[in-house]
Amino acid sequence: RVPRVVARLYDPRRAEIYLRLGLTTISSTDWGAERIYELISHTDLDVLQTFGRGEVSLIMMEVTPQMIGRTVQSLTVPGELIVTAITRQGKAFIPVSGTEFLEGDILYLTILASSMERLEEMLGLERRM
């Protein structure tokens, strides 16, 4: 009568077996490797959280000088990238497509992991790896 079981795995190769049994798994090995990769390869983008098996990420970044005056719409790619929230002068809000980025804004972006390079290109950031 346990509503949810989560299994911590040291051997990520066993995750498939647990999934077939309907169990949620956490692998510190997989998570650690993914986090190290994110930190090394996307140094200007701070990954705060991943979802699923890392397919979607929530990242935080400060608005760059090149982004000031641009709108949320210019950074939106349907199905790949959305600006989830903005913190401005210490207060967070959910932006609309016409919201302009201001100096000092902190952006929270939800992005497909496969679109990280595309975001870096859109922002003019250099890839480290």
Side-chain angles (χ1 to χ4, degrees):
R1 296 185 189 162
V2 177
R4 186 168 196 181
V5 175
V6 178
R8 180 176 180 205
L9 302 177
Y10 292 98
D11 183 355
R13 296 175 294 181
R14 295 185 180 179
E16 185 64 32
I17 296 167
Y18 287 90
L19 281 174
R20 289 183 193 159
L21 296 172
L23 300 175
T24 301
T25 62
I26 296 173
S27 171
S28 55
T29 304
D30 278 348
W31 180 86
E34 288 173 20
R35 184 69 176 135
I36 290 168
Y37 176 77
E38 290 164 354
L39 290 170
I40 292 171
S41 63
H42 306 289
T43 56
D44 294 315
L45 305 173
D46 186 15
V47 177
L48 300 176
Q49 178 75 45
T50 58
F51 303 96
R53 294 181 168 242
E55 301 91 354
V56 175
S57 296
L58 175 65
I59 63 171
M60 178 180 72
M61 64 169 291
E62 189 169 342
V63 167
T64 63
Q66 300 86 349
M67 296 173 64
I68 295 171
R70 290 175 54 188
T71 64
V72 166
Q73 182 62 39
S74 70
L75 200 56
T76 301
V77 180
E80 290 184 43
L81 169 64
I82 60 170
V83 180
T84 308
I86 297 175
T87 299
R88 180 175 289 161
Q89 298 177 343
K91 294 184 179 182
F93 65 95
I94 298 173
V96 296
S97 62
T99 301
E100 287 188 16
F101 300 127
L102 302 180
E103 184 177 354
D105 282 355
I106 303 295
L107 307 182
Y108 296 87
L109 309 169
T110 304
I111 184 170
L112 286 176
S114 59
S115 298
M116 290 289 274
E117 288 182 41
R118 181 175 184 170
L119 173 61
E120 290 171 333
E121 289 172 7
M122 290 171 69
L123 299 173
L125 301 175
E126 289 185 25
R127 188 158 169 88
R128 305 288 187 226
M129 287 182 69

